[in-house]
Amino acid sequence: MSTIPAAGPQAPSSPIRSRRKIDGVRIASFIALIVTTFLMLLPLFFMVSTSLKSKKELLKFPPSFFPESWQWSNYKEIFETLNFGQMYMNSLIIGVLTVVGTLLSSALAAYGFARYRGKGNNLWFMLMLSTMMLPYPAIMIPQFILFSKLNWLDTFLPLVVPAFFGSAYNIFLLRQFFSTLPEELFDAGRIDGCSELRMWRQIALPLSGPALATVAIFAFIYSWNDLLTPVLYLSSSDKFTLPVGMSSFTSSRFRIPPWHLLMVASVLAMLPIVTLFAIAQKRFVEGIVLTGIK
């Protein structure tokens, strides 16, 4: 009678090996993300740490990552040394008005390019996009002459009014999103007697929250960080914006630039952008993903 051979050790099945391989890839990816995050946050940590150091400690070499004595008074000193509060408010006013103007004008123009398929529509759209290739120095002098003729110099108008005439990039972004909206929604609006302006306000805009949030963040960041335009048009110190005030820290008025105050200003200037992104993060990411793809 034949005997049945004893079963030997079995090799691990392929699903187990693949699962271990996937777990190894996830662990390696997680470690890489931790290292990358640490490297990205290191300059931010050094900026906050420097803002809490004394002026004497800034001159030490090698520099220390943690302050020896926490100088919370630096955050009070910056408002006494510089008209920081007024500059902060000026930047907020200009930023908010820029966002409002950009959303209104860009959304209207994008809606027209997306919903009207008349003759020459694509030609005008390509002509509008071609303006993105114009560098700002090419139009800087004509704009300055125009605003000087309008007696707008040393006012906020040159910084705000152009936003109410649209932006090629933002129009392109919103137009791609508006093009994905179902035509049946607008047909239903026409049956109900809605005008085009009402359909834009009650159908297109409510459904375009992610794209509008993306445009709002881009517009605010550009206005908040803009240095060249305020330097060109503003001459009164009570109208200066935050970038102009921060640049004065490295001017010749200081024998040794107060780097601790500059870091304080950088921390405070970062707060509105971080807050805005934290509030609209979900909408922002969704707008980037869906625009032109959905």
Side-chain angles (χ1 to χ4, degrees):
M1 186 175 62
S2 60
T3 60
I4 300 174
Q10 295 181 353
S13 59
S14 57
I16 296 178
R17 288 199 304 268
S18 62
R19 190 179 301 113
R20 290 177 178 175
K21 183 178 180 180
I22 293 175
D23 291 340
V25 172
R26 288 179 177 175
I27 293 174
S29 302
F30 185 71
I31 294 175
L33 286 174
I34 292 177
V35 174
T36 304
T37 303
F38 175 77
L39 294 176
M40 295 292 290
L41 292 179
L42 190 60
L44 177 62
F45 170 78
F46 190 76
M47 178 180 68
V48 176
S49 175
T50 305
S51 69
L52 296 171
K53 293 179 180 179
S54 62
K55 192 171 184 180
K56 180 180 178 181
E57 190 177 353
L58 291 174
L59 304 178
K60 290 181 59 177
F61 186 83
S64 59
F65 282 98
F66 295 95
E68 296 178 356
S69 60
W70 301 77
Q71 301 293 326
W72 296 102
S73 59
N74 292 342
Y75 285 81
K76 179 181 178 182
E77 182 181 353
I78 193 172
F79 289 94
E80 299 173 351
T81 305
L82 192 68
N83 193 11
F84 191 79
Q86 183 64 46
M87 294 179 181
Y88 211 92
M89 185 58 63
N90 293 341
S91 294
L92 281 176
I93 293 173
I94 294 173
V96 171
L97 292 178
T98 299
V99 170
V100 172
T102 300
L103 289 178
L104 286 176
S105 57
S106 298
L108 274 172
Y111 181 82
F113 280 121
R115 307 312 304 179
Y116 294 100
R117 303 296 181 183
K119 186 176 181 180
N121 180 283
N122 292 330
L123 176 63
W124 287 109
F125 184 67
M126 294 302 297
L127 184 63
M128 185 269 301
L129 289 181
S130 66
T131 61
M132 297 174 61
M133 295 185 290
L134 287 174
Y136 183 70
I139 62 175
M140 183 170 58
I141 296 178
Q143 273 191 350
F144 185 86
I145 295 175
L146 172 63
F147 293 143
S148 65
K149 296 291 185 181
L150 295 174
N151 293 322
W152 285 4
L153 299 184
D154 200 25
T155 66
F156 291 161
L157 293 177
L159 311 180
V160 173
V161 171
F164 286 83
F165 289 88
S167 167
Y169 176 75
N170 294 325
I171 292 173
F172 167 76
L173 202 66
L174 292 174
R175 186 251 192 187
Q176 298 303 103
F177 197 92
F178 287 154
S179 299
T180 64
L181 299 179
E183 185 65 31
E184 291 77 10
L185 294 175
F186 299 94
D187 291 339
R190 294 187 185 96
I191 293 175
D192 290 340
C194 293
S195 62
E196 290 294 335
L197 186 61
R198 185 179 177 185
M199 286 191 293
W200 169 76
R201 187 178 69 253
Q202 296 185 354
I203 297 178
L205 291 185
L207 294 176
S208 306
L212 294 175
T214 303
V215 171
I217 291 176
F218 284 160
F220 185 81
I221 291 177
Y222 175 80
S223 173
W224 187 259
N225 295 329
D226 187 20
L227 172 63
L228 178 59
T229 310
V231 168
L232 283 176
Y233 297 110
L234 301 179
S235 56
S236 300
S237 59
D238 60 330
K239 294 185 177 67
F240 284 168
T241 59
L242 205 54
V244 179
M246 293 173 63
S247 65
S248 66
F249 281 120
T250 57
S251 64
S252 58
R253 56 181 287 196
F254 296 103
R255 187 173 62 89
I256 299 178
W259 296 111
H260 60 306
L261 295 183
L262 182 59
M263 293 300 104
V264 170
S266 300
V267 172
L268 295 177
M270 183 183 61
L271 292 180
I273 296 178
V274 173
T275 303
L276 178 63
F277 183 78
I279 294 174
Q281 178 182 8
K282 183 178 179 180
R283 292 280 188 174
F284 174 75
V285 175
E286 187 179 351
I288 293 295
V289 172
L290 295 181
T291 301
I293 297 178
K294 184 176 177 182

